[in-house]
Amino acid sequence: MAGYKYKHSQAFRAVWYSSCLTVVLGMVAWEQVPSNKCVNIGDPVTFKCALSGLTDIFPLWRQLTGTIRTVSDGLQVDLNVCSTCSILNETQGEYFLHISTVNAADAGTWSCSQFGVTPGSQEADLTILDSCSVSISVSGATEDQPKTYTCMSEDTIELSCNLTDCGPSCVDTTWYNGSEVLSTDQTLTLTATPYHNGTVIYCSAYTGDNVLVSSDSIILNIEFAPFSAELVIKADDCPPRYGCDVFANPHPFTSFPKQDFNGSEVKVDRGQPVFCIAENEYGSVSSENIKVPFCLYTGEKIGIGVGVVIIIIIIVLGITVRYAIKKKLPCQKVCDSNTKGKEARKNDSVEVEKA
């Protein structure tokens, strides 16, 4: 009977102690809890953890990722476990975990726990941004992360910006085409057009301070039938050499039916009609039919040039002779006048002698 009373007395005391502990710890509450952190290797970081109520309780800090390690018990830090860790305790109830220099091993989930408090622990993630990477994937692509994606015009392109080791809420994603922002969602949907061909699409991850963390890109290769064919002069000779400019992918086969010529460029004699046809596996298109304007062959240009020079020479000679003649006429008049004067004086002297 005595043994029975003892056992019941022990059980009663255990229930009473447990009840008291529950009542006492019921006065304790989380005042501050840790939040997710995003840092680079070498940066400092502080996780907040504070309890209100009793002062003689000692929460534990643990790293839960990989092999669980207990870093601190109350204010005591095991430096063998974390040599860069310390507990900041500026006011009563604070047990802030401070890591002075973050290294790669510190990445993961950290927990501040206290027995008897609800919930029993508060957790937060530490993300090392140096490990964050971005990759672009395409729905339906044969490759997981293609650098070039080929499709036909009018196809729907679904792109995804995949984040690896970037942590929760550490970065935001932005889609770019050059300097143009296409979207800030993690996915991007486009309807392919010929004008997207060769476009480079970027997905970049930025921190809240707009610091670039990582980026990836993909080139769009859009295939489409030729359109907008146009004859252009490739060499301004005579006869001129014409080419066929056309917008198409893949590159089209070009021909010039009037000249019965297949190729990218053809010489066409003056006055002759010319047009081109461009064709690939998706279709074909023709340019406007034009007539080659009049032009001068090289020999004709030389002949005209020589003729012009001869004419200029004749003109210059004519001007020179005319000038010389004009210069000689006044002299002739003076000479004639002098001759007449001499003859008059001679006649006068003869008459005087006769007299």
Side-chain angles (χ1 to χ4, degrees):
M1 186 68 177
Y4 173 79
K5 288 182 178 180
Y6 176 76
K7 288 181 181 179
H8 278 267
S9 177
Q10 290 289 94
F12 173 76
R13 280 198 292 270
V15 172
W16 176 83
Y17 179 78
S18 177
S19 299
C20 288
L21 185 62
T22 301
V23 171
V24 170
L25 288 177
M27 300 169 59
V28 180
W30 296 105
E31 194 167 77
Q32 294 189 67
V33 297
S35 59
N36 297 328
K37 300 293 182 179
C38 312
V39 297
N40 292 304
I41 290 177
D43 290 346
V45 69
T46 299
F47 285 112
K48 294 183 177 182
C49 180
L51 294 155
S52 62
L54 295 180
T55 60
D56 56 349
I57 55 176
F58 304 102
L60 301 176
W61 273 106
R62 293 188 178 94
Q63 186 182 16
L64 305 181
T65 303
T67 301
I68 296 176
R69 57 175 182 161
T70 300
V71 172
S72 68
D73 185 353
L75 299 175
Q76 301 300 314
V77 176
D78 188 344
L79 296 178
N80 293 322
V81 176
C82 182
S83 61
T84 58
C85 293
S86 61
I87 298 296
L88 305 181
N89 182 236
E90 295 182 2
T91 60
Q92 182 178 330
E94 286 185 353
Y95 296 90
F96 293 179
L97 175 65
H98 180 72
I99 305 175
S100 59
T101 306
V102 170
N103 59 62
D106 297 326
T109 302
W110 289 80
S111 168
C112 179
S113 59
Q114 172 61 54
F115 175 73
V117 184
T118 303
S121 66
Q122 299 285 352
E123 298 176 356
D125 288 316
L126 176 60
T127 299
I128 308 296
L129 291 176
D130 302 73
S131 304
C132 174
S133 64
V134 174
S135 63
I136 296 175
S137 62
V138 186
S139 177
T142 55
E143 298 179 63
D144 290 338
Q145 298 172 15
K147 290 302 177 183
T148 301
Y149 179 67
T150 301
C151 67
M152 291 182 60
S153 181
E154 306 302 326
D155 284 354
T156 298
I157 307 173
E158 296 180 0
L159 305 175
S160 296
C161 191
N162 308 301
L163 303 176
T164 303
D165 296 331
C166 296
S169 305
C170 285
V171 296
D172 297 314
T173 54
T174 304
W175 293 94
Y176 290 98
N177 172 12
S179 59
E180 180 187 1
V181 176
L182 301 177
S183 174
T184 55
D185 296 331
Q186 206 153 346
T187 59
L188 176 67
T189 301
L190 299 172
T191 300
T193 70
Y195 299 102
H196 284 127
N197 185 45
T199 297
V200 182
I201 303 292
Y202 294 88
C203 181
S204 301
Y206 292 89
T207 65
D209 298 327
N210 204 34
V211 176
L212 177 65
V213 176
S214 182
S215 184
D216 193 20
S217 63
I218 188 170
I219 301 173
L220 301 181
N221 179 41
I222 313 301
E223 297 188 342
F224 52 93
F227 69 93
S228 186
E230 181 181 3
L231 283 171
V232 292
I233 296 177
K234 295 294 185 179
D236 196 12
D237 300 327
C238 189
R241 191 163 67 246
Y242 282 89
C244 189
D245 274 8
V246 63
F247 199 34
N249 187 37
H251 189 74
F253 170 82
T254 55
S255 61
F256 299 83
K258 292 291 185 180
Q259 287 67 42
D260 193 24
F261 180 80
N262 298 326
S264 58
E265 297 180 9
V266 65
K267 283 189 174 183
V268 186
D269 204 358
R270 57 191 180 189
Q272 297 299 311
V274 60
F275 71 97
C276 67
I277 296 178
E279 182 177 7
N280 66 12
E281 59 191 273
Y282 299 110
S284 63
V285 66
S286 298
S287 72
E288 180 185 2
N289 189 3
I290 67 170
K291 183 175 287 189
V292 176
F294 179 81
C295 64
L296 293 174
Y297 295 123
T298 302
E300 293 173 335
K301 289 180 180 179
I302 294 173
I304 292 174
V306 171
V308 170
V309 171
I310 293 173
I311 291 172
I312 292 173
I313 292 173
I314 292 172
I315 292 173
V316 170
L317 288 174
I319 292 173
T320 304
V321 170
R322 185 178 180 185
Y323 176 76
I325 293 172
K326 283 185 177 180
K327 189 174 181 181
K328 186 178 179 181
L329 286 176
C331 177
Q332 186 67 39
K333 289 180 180 179
V334 171
C335 292
D336 292 345
S337 176
N338 291 337
T339 302
K340 289 179 179 179
K342 288 180 180 179
E343 290 178 351
R345 285 192 297 272
K346 185 177 179 180
N347 293 330
D348 289 344
S349 59
V350 170
E351 290 179 359
V352 169
E353 290 178 356
K354 289 181 176 181

